[in-house]
Amino acid sequence: MERVAIYIRVSKKEQAKNKGTDSSLAIQLKKCTDYCEEKKYEVLKVYSDVESGGNDDRKGFNDLQNTIPKKIYTKVIFWEVSRIARKISTGMKFFEDLEKYGVSFESVSQPYLKDFMSLSIFLAWGTEDLKQMSLRIKSNLLEKTKAGYFVHGNPATGYIRGKNKMIVPDPEKAPLILKIFETFAENWNLSETGRIFGKTRSDITEIIDNRIYIGEVVYKKYVKDPVDSKHRIKTKNNRIWYKGLHEPIVPLELFNLCQEIRKLNIKIRESREKGKPILLFSGLVVCTCGKKMFQTRRYHTNKAGEKYPYYVYLCTNKLTGKKHSIAARKLDNAIIEKIKNSKELLELNGIEYNENESIKNKLKLIEKELLALETERERIIKLFQKEFINEDELESKFNDITARKKKLKESQKHYEEEDKKESSKDNVENFEKLKYIIENYSEDDVVETRKLLRLLIKEITVVSKKPLKVNIIFN
Ligand SMILES: [Zn+2]
């Protein structure tokens, strides 16, 4: 039987609304004890806090946390995660302790939070509150940008933060920026300009395209599409620029001339240039041959000898020495399509939906082989009856069949589990989280986002190459 500690918490404001049995605290307690009764958990102690707003008013919580290492309780019950902690860091510390000492937990109102993993994903991304909060921050940034303030971290080279965090031209580097524009306007060549100033081609591209230098500020995060209400990243050419409050470094005419040159150059290069890959999935993808695939840069060389990078997912099979590659953009698109469409497909088909034909086929194959073994057994018995084989031979043949049968049964079990995982209800939630991550992913957060994806996804399997099909297996 589970030995349970219940934790309840309300703010003073919440508690003041109603008194006695109608108070928030009493209601929370009743929900938790009813839950424990239904589950037949033995409640040993109730810890509670009424927060007054000061710092030292979480005695109940602190007592509970101190008791965890003593392993008196096998489980902690609470109404919802936000009751444990308002601050994610406090909450994470608490749940890390639970994990460490093997104490489980249940959130009465959030039954899908079963373990530390789902919880950490939930805390980082899933909650409506957090969603709302990030939207609020975003819209504040937008308002500030519209008003002409630069809001995105460090300003571009050529500007520094001045008084009141306003950006001002850097007396040292601003003249260099102007010189870069002038040089490009003469030689029309990004790489050449880069060489002159000791920068890379992409550095120069960033600079030439950056409207900050003509006194504008950008709002470049995910933006809600007014047509379908989806959050999308604005591509480079689509970022929204507003008139800024800071001083321009480059005259508008020079900037526009450089942009015209860029357009001409892009037209020439367009047929060759490949899109930038999404680094999120590198190392999560497993090739049809079973090896992990990593994103690798390769180069095209044109007739003039100029090199252009493109990206592939590459596996290297050490056993066979063979390498397989898939264009990064194609595979990224396939993965994203899968993520975006999966939830709808799962729901449409009442979660019975199962796309992975290869697992179904493997199971069919195993079924056939098991039948074949049965037939073989009967054949051997007949051989023995007709005295074509002796007892020893019979026994060794039987042993062989038993071993093969055992192996087949094992892989049957394995694939049945995989199959279940495929169509489980959890997948709906997982895909929902993935979708949220992908839609809100910003290149600034690539490191954090990758961590989250690794918590959520076990692997992304390439099921077939032609047509390109992927399958996402969750942890
Ligand atoms: Zn391979």
Side-chain angles (χ1 to χ4, degrees):
M1 197 188 218
E2 300 274 9
R3 299 187 307 273
V4 164
I6 292 177
Y7 179 70
I8 49 176
R9 175 176 74 84
V10 290
S11 65
K12 204 168 188 181
K13 218 168 143 193
E14 285 173 314
Q15 186 64 0
K17 268 190 199 164
N18 296 297
K19 295 268 184 284
T21 49
D22 280 342
S23 76
S24 294
L25 210 59
I27 290 168
Q28 251 185 64
L29 179 60
K30 182 154 186 347
K31 277 171 180 161
C32 290
T33 47
D34 284 354
Y35 181 82
C36 290
E37 200 173 312
E38 193 192 310
K39 295 256 178 178
K40 303 213 179 340
Y41 295 158
E42 186 186 8
V43 180
L44 295 190
K45 191 165 175 176
V46 177
Y47 294 85
S48 67
D49 284 310
V50 178
E51 279 194 277
S52 65
N55 284 330
D56 195 31
D57 53 0
R58 299 202 63 188
K59 191 178 174 305
F61 179 76
N62 294 335
D63 286 351
L64 173 61
Q65 190 157 23
N66 292 335
T67 320
I68 296 302
K70 294 175 190 160
K71 296 188 178 182
I72 298 168
Y73 310 113
T74 57
K75 200 185 268 297
V76 175
I77 299 285
F78 45 88
W79 170 242
E80 56 181 11
V81 172
S82 69
R83 295 293 140 183
I84 293 294
R86 280 175 311 185
K87 270 170 72 183
I88 285 180
S89 56
T90 320
M92 286 305 253
K93 172 79 185 61
F94 179 73
F95 288 108
E96 268 169 26
D97 279 358
L98 293 188
E99 170 100 341
K100 191 171 158 191
Y101 295 105
V103 178
S104 60
F105 63 83
E106 274 170 47
S107 164
V108 176
S109 69
Q110 299 151 314
Y112 46 88
L113 294 180
K114 287 181 287 259
D115 52 26
F116 187 65
M117 188 114 70
S118 61
L119 181 95
S120 48
I121 293 164
F122 178 84
L123 281 180
W125 292 94
T127 72
E128 272 311 306
D129 285 350
L130 281 167
K131 245 189 224 181
Q132 291 301 328
M133 204 191 299
S134 80
L135 287 180
R136 262 203 306 278
I137 294 165
K138 275 178 199 164
S139 71
N140 274 343
L141 288 181
L142 179 59
E143 288 313 311
K144 277 191 173 171
T145 309
K146 276 183 182 168
Y149 293 94
F150 179 81
V151 294
H152 293 295
N154 289 327
T157 313
Y159 284 103
I160 46 173
R161 293 273 186 190
K163 269 183 198 164
N164 303 326
K165 285 196 166 183
M166 292 292 292
I167 57 171
V168 292
D170 178 351
E172 205 180 300
K173 288 179 180 159
L176 193 73
I177 295 292
L178 180 59
K179 199 83 192 133
I180 288 172
F181 275 86
E182 288 169 348
T183 307
F184 178 69
E186 273 171 32
N187 68 14
W188 286 37
N189 190 321
L190 292 165
S191 309
E192 178 60 23
T193 309
R195 268 193 290 280
I196 294 170
F197 291 92
K199 289 181 182 293
T200 65
R201 185 178 182 278
S202 68
D203 288 341
I204 301 298
T205 317
E206 286 277 298
I207 292 169
I208 297 290
D209 289 349
N210 201 338
R211 301 181 73 87
I212 196 169
Y213 296 124
I214 50 171
E216 294 185 6
V217 284
V218 68
Y219 182 68
K220 64 178 175 183
K221 294 281 170 170
Y222 284 75
V223 176
K224 198 171 184 175
D225 191 314
V227 181
D228 60 10
S229 304
K230 280 186 181 158
H231 286 86
R232 291 216 170 81
I233 190 167
K234 288 280 167 188
T235 62
K236 203 166 183 183
N237 298 328
N238 255 338
R239 290 174 179 180
I240 311 173
W241 290 89
Y242 297 94
K243 178 112 196 60
L245 295 167
H246 62 280
E247 184 188 327
I249 292 176
V250 176
L252 188 61
E253 299 75 31
L254 177 59
F255 183 88
N256 285 341
L257 172 63
C258 289
Q259 283 304 303
E260 286 307 313
I261 297 167
R262 287 268 291 131
K263 267 183 219 156
L264 277 170
N265 282 348
I266 286 169
K267 257 185 200 161
I268 298 163
R269 209 184 46 242
E270 220 164 37
S271 55
R272 292 184 297 251
E273 188 106 357
K274 292 281 190 292
K276 215 174 156 196
I278 299 173
L279 286 161
L280 288 180
F281 308 123
S282 182
L284 277 174
V285 178
V286 176
C287 181
T288 45
C289 75
K291 291 283 160 189
K292 280 215 159 152
M293 302 187 99
F294 295 92
Q295 265 176 28
T296 312
R297 185 160 54 187
R298 285 181 170 174
Y299 291 95
H300 284 303
T301 310
N302 68 4
K303 281 176 191 160
E306 287 175 281
K307 282 181 166 182
Y308 295 98
Y310 69 102
Y311 293 82
V312 294
Y313 281 89
L314 190 73
C315 83
T316 309
N317 197 325
K318 279 187 186 139
L319 283 175
T320 60
K322 273 187 184 166
K323 290 180 178 182
H324 303 120
S325 70
I326 303 173
R329 198 155 63 160
K330 263 174 81 181
L331 192 53
D332 283 344
N333 282 341
I335 295 168
I336 287 171
E337 279 309 302
K338 172 95 184 173
I339 291 169
K340 288 195 169 164
N341 296 325
S342 276
K343 197 195 147 205
E344 283 82 354
L345 288 172
L346 285 165
E347 281 180 348
L348 267 178
N349 294 278
I351 311 165
E352 291 294 299
Y353 178 75
N354 187 334
E355 197 194 34
N356 200 337
E357 280 304 308
S358 73
I359 288 181
K360 292 268 187 230
N361 286 338
K362 272 177 192 148
L363 280 169
K364 270 184 210 160
L365 207 71
I366 290 168
E367 203 75 45
K368 264 189 196 165
E369 283 176 46
L370 281 169
L371 268 176
L373 278 184
E374 222 27 67
T375 320
E376 200 179 332
R377 220 173 76 99
E378 277 161 28
R379 192 179 61 87
I380 289 163
I381 294 170
K382 270 183 194 148
L383 286 178
F384 177 71
Q385 283 169 344
K386 291 181 180 168
E387 291 179 5
F388 285 115
I389 53 172
N390 62 29
E391 266 172 37
D392 284 348
E393 284 169 317
L394 178 77
E395 199 189 342
S396 104
K397 279 181 194 297
F398 268 12
N399 284 343
D400 177 50
I401 286 178
T402 313
R404 278 154 69 194
K405 199 171 166 182
K406 197 180 156 206
K407 240 184 174 172
L408 282 170
K409 283 276 178 195
E410 275 166 12
S411 56
Q412 187 180 40
K413 205 178 153 201
H414 167 78
Y415 285 116
E416 273 169 0
E417 272 165 16
E418 287 290 300
D419 195 35
K420 247 186 244 160
K421 254 189 237 164
E422 278 285 297
S423 49
S424 76
K425 202 175 173 181
D426 289 346
N427 271 5
V428 177
E429 269 166 27
N430 283 335
F431 271 117
E432 216 170 339
K433 284 172 195 157
L434 261 190
K435 206 169 153 186
Y436 181 74
I437 292 172
I438 294 303
E439 283 176 353
N440 290 279
Y441 152 68
S442 136
E443 281 183 29
D444 304 340
D445 308 325
V446 70
V447 177
E448 285 307 307
T449 312
R450 278 173 68 118
K451 274 189 209 159
L452 274 171
L453 283 186
R454 273 156 182 70
L455 278 176
L456 200 57
I457 297 176
K458 190 173 164 209
E459 60 181 49
I460 299 169
T461 324
V462 180
V463 182
S464 79
K465 281 184 183 155
K466 277 179 187 171
L468 187 57
K469 272 190 179 173
V470 296
N471 190 30
I472 296 171
I473 297 167
F474 295 101
N475 272 316

